[in-house]
Amino acid sequence: MAWKTDKFHKRFAESEIGTIRKPWKGRIKVALVYPNTYHVGMSNLGFQTVYDLLNKIDHVVCERGFLPTDKRQGSGRIITIESGSPISAFDVIAFSVSFENDFPNLLTILEKAGLPLRSSNRESPHPLIIAGGVTFFLNPEPVAPFVDCFLIGEAEAILPRFFDTDLPDLLNQDRTSCLKTLAQNVPGTYVPEFYNATYHSDGTFRAVEPVLDVPVKIERRFLKDLSRAPTCSAVLTSDTTFDRTFLIEVSRGCPHGCRFCSTGFVYRPPRFRPLSLLEKCMQHGVSMTDQIGLVGASVSDHPEINKLCSQKFEKDIRISFSSFRADALSPELLSVLRQSKVKTATIAPDAGSQRLRNIINKGITEQDILNAAETLVAEGIPNLKLYFMVGLPLETMDDVEAIVTLCKQIKHKFLKSSRARKRIGEITVSLSSFVPKPFTPFQWVAMDDIGSLKSKIK
Ligand code: SF4
């Protein structure tokens, strides 16, 4: 189907390698929407993975939509990159959401698409609005009134069943029958309108109970074995944070279990992809670009990371890491960072004092942090980013002061190493406030109040 597209979407489409275009006829049409701009969405490997997975299903055609960057873009309409079609023309609109901050954008997109915001006000022929992503493993309730159904779990473990060959028939039924069949037959499907929340007399939450014959508990779906499920970039474009970098997920979850961190708990057990699969992914990536990004909660924990990075290719490639631990900088990893001309490395002490790092189970010492800062700069990485939080449980003002002290100590090491290399880069300190996350040991800890946070940041 041909729709009038615009110069913004044409520019995005023309700058891409790997765009998937499939004929619409006879297929379920899915608009996969990232509730933020093209640049942000295309930097998200989870979003790209869903795009690839859906298009691998023969009877599905999946196109991508994003929040317009500015008013000139498509006159504010939400149209897809592949065919320039309005998302309201699709059978299904699938939101892929990784961050709670994007929740308001989900509503903006529904409004711009001309669709009723509330699920209860939509009916056939409106598209089915579904949503998935890690933010909904944690808590789908903030946007529950606006979504017809959530897919709770990892995409590979739930999408093939959800989009099986009966879905075209179900989409022709009335909305409630379609959703009921999905909720009853596809584990991980949560239809908010089929559940009621109940509360104690003091107003505190009691339970969520089904009002129809659907599962009492929604099972979070996850892939037990990643060894046959590569997760890599589907589309390369310069218009992302990673600029034509081919991303490869090396692992899912994290073995460290920092007590504030949802990644360390919702993706349990941590799973690592085998070297043989990752080598194949890397070869595929090298056929498309010379920049490889290894992605994972803690890439340096992969047991064969050094072997993976020492693969030889016919051309020079640059390898970057989404994360590494301050206590895991092996000579091999440092050599890869040096060869890849990485400009900025991130260290996340998270807390300033050892006392508080022990409380949050961070598992790194002050010496690990100082050694990492000194070594990274000595290896030629000029800039450092430091991540800290305030408002952590059991924090005192001494712990807050310790952030300043630690930054000064890091600066001292940084300058010593920088002067030796005759180049002084920048240290960026990022300070955020602790937010209690579901499923972590700190989930019931109250958040610090704004006045207290402000006084700590001063
Ligand atoms: S090491 Fe990082 S990803 Fe792992 S649990 Fe700690 S904060 Fe989370």
Side-chain angles (χ1 to χ4, degrees):
M1 186 173 293
W3 299 84
K4 190 171 178 299
T5 184
D6 63 58
K7 63 178 181 179
F8 291 94
H9 287 75
K10 269 196 193 135
R11 179 172 67 78
F12 291 141
E14 283 167 9
S15 73
E16 292 185 343
I17 301 171
T19 316
I20 304 168
R21 289 191 173 82
K22 287 168 80 173
W24 280 27
K25 195 157 183 254
R27 292 193 162 92
I28 304 172
K29 297 169 281 298
V30 182
L32 175 65
V33 179
Y34 194 89
N36 208 311
T37 60
Y38 177 90
H39 184 92
V40 178
M42 288 305 292
S43 306
N44 187 294
L45 184 55
F47 177 75
Q48 292 223 17
T49 303
V50 175
Y51 177 63
D52 191 46
L53 279 171
L54 286 176
N55 277 311
K56 280 199 170 115
I57 303 173
D58 188 47
H59 59 275
V60 170
V61 49
C62 173
E63 302 191 357
R64 291 159 296 148
F66 302 90
L67 189 72
T69 313
D70 63 36
K71 287 200 182 99
R72 291 169 301 145
Q73 190 181 319
S75 319
R77 292 179 307 149
I78 313 291
I79 60 176
T80 58
I81 298 295
E82 287 75 3
S83 68
S85 314
I87 59 169
S88 54
F90 286 73
D91 301 315
V92 177
I93 296 178
F95 282 99
S96 170
V97 189
S98 297
F99 305 105
E100 293 93 340
N101 293 358
D102 288 333
F103 285 170
N105 294 340
L106 190 147
L107 298 187
T108 304
I109 287 169
L110 288 176
E111 189 178 36
K112 283 181 182 293
L115 296 168
L117 297 184
R118 289 185 176 271
S119 172
S120 55
N121 293 337
R122 292 191 296 262
E123 55 189 19
S124 188
H126 292 135
L128 192 70
I129 309 294
I130 67 173
V134 65
T135 187
F136 299 130
F137 300 12
L138 297 175
N139 183 10
E141 292 311 313
V143 290
F146 315 107
V147 172
D148 298 330
C149 81
F150 293 94
L151 307 188
I152 307 292
E154 295 175 0
E156 299 91 339
I158 191 166
L159 285 177
R161 178 92 178 258
F162 188 89
F163 282 93
D164 84 1
T165 44
D166 289 340
L167 190 58
D169 294 336
L170 291 179
L171 290 171
N172 287 328
Q173 296 177 9
D174 69 89
R175 180 64 53 107
T176 303
S177 308
C178 166
L179 288 170
K180 189 174 167 196
T181 307
L182 289 167
Q184 287 174 332
N185 295 296
V186 184
T189 302
Y190 167 49
V191 180
E193 72 179 65
F194 296 161
Y195 296 83
N196 249 350
T198 55
Y199 296 87
H200 296 292
S201 54
D202 63 357
T204 54
F205 175 75
R206 193 178 78 82
V208 171
E209 287 159 356
V211 293
L212 286 181
D213 178 21
V214 290
V216 176
K217 275 193 177 172
I218 311 297
E219 182 192 342
R220 175 179 64 90
R221 305 289 293 160
F222 73 100
L223 212 54
K224 290 192 177 62
D225 177 13
L226 297 185
S227 65
R228 271 177 288 175
T231 297
C232 308
S233 296
V235 176
L236 291 188
T237 167
S238 52
D239 201 347
T240 70
T241 310
F242 309 110
D243 187 14
R244 290 193 182 271
T245 298
F246 185 84
L247 302 178
I248 302 169
E249 186 192 51
V250 300
S251 59
R252 208 168 275 180
C254 177
H256 294 288
C258 303
R259 294 191 173 104
F260 60 88
C261 173
S262 52
T263 304
F265 290 90
V266 289
Y267 286 112
R268 284 189 171 187
R271 289 146 286 158
F272 296 96
R273 287 196 167 82
L275 180 65
S276 55
L277 178 67
L278 295 174
E279 284 175 341
K280 275 189 201 145
C281 295
M282 224 151 152
Q283 280 153 12
H284 178 54
V286 171
S287 70
M288 296 169 76
T289 180
D290 59 358
Q291 303 193 57
I292 303 291
L294 301 181
V295 177
S298 182
V299 174
S300 51
D301 283 315
H302 192 288
E304 296 187 280
I305 191 68
N306 293 337
K307 277 192 195 158
L308 180 65
C309 293
S310 57
Q311 266 194 101
K312 297 279 176 256
F313 297 98
E314 282 177 1
K315 61 181 175 186
D316 287 341
I317 59 161
R318 290 182 179 195
I319 301 176
S320 53
F321 304 89
S322 64
S323 60
F324 46 76
R325 297 254 309 173
D327 57 351
L329 288 172
S330 65
E332 292 87 351
L333 272 188
L334 288 166
S335 153
V336 171
L337 293 175
R338 191 173 53 241
Q339 282 165 21
S340 300
K341 299 189 173 66
V342 171
K343 295 277 179 293
T344 304
T346 301
I347 304 174
D350 289 313
S353 70
Q354 193 57 47
R355 186 193 81 88
L356 198 51
R357 278 195 297 279
N358 292 344
I359 287 173
I360 64 176
N361 200 32
K362 188 67 203 177
I364 53 172
T365 63
E366 185 176 291
Q367 203 51 52
D368 291 330
I369 296 162
L370 296 176
N371 286 348
E374 188 169 11
T375 311
L376 287 164
V377 179
E379 289 292 332
I381 298 167
N383 307 309
L384 292 182
K385 260 190 200 163
L386 306 173
Y387 283 153
F388 290 97
M389 279 184 281
V390 288
L392 283 161
L394 305 177
E395 181 184 67
T396 65
M397 279 315 282
D398 286 345
D399 298 310
V400 179
E401 295 293 339
I403 295 176
V404 180
T405 309
L406 182 57
C407 285
K408 284 182 180 164
Q409 289 174 292
I410 293 171
K411 186 178 168 194
H412 178 72
K413 296 281 183 189
F414 173 86
L415 287 175
K416 192 173 135 206
S417 281
S418 300
R419 284 192 187 112
R421 292 191 65 86
K422 298 190 171 39
R423 180 178 177 187
I424 297 184
E426 278 184 355
I427 300 179
T428 308
V429 179
S430 161
L431 198 60
S432 54
S433 54
F434 162 75
V435 178
K437 295 284 184 182
F439 305 111
T440 66
F442 290 159
Q443 68 173 332
W444 301 118
V445 177
M447 209 179 144
D448 211 350
D449 64 70
I450 298 212
S452 164
L453 288 171
K454 278 188 176 165
S455 72
K456 287 173 181 173
I457 289 170
K458 265 187 200 163

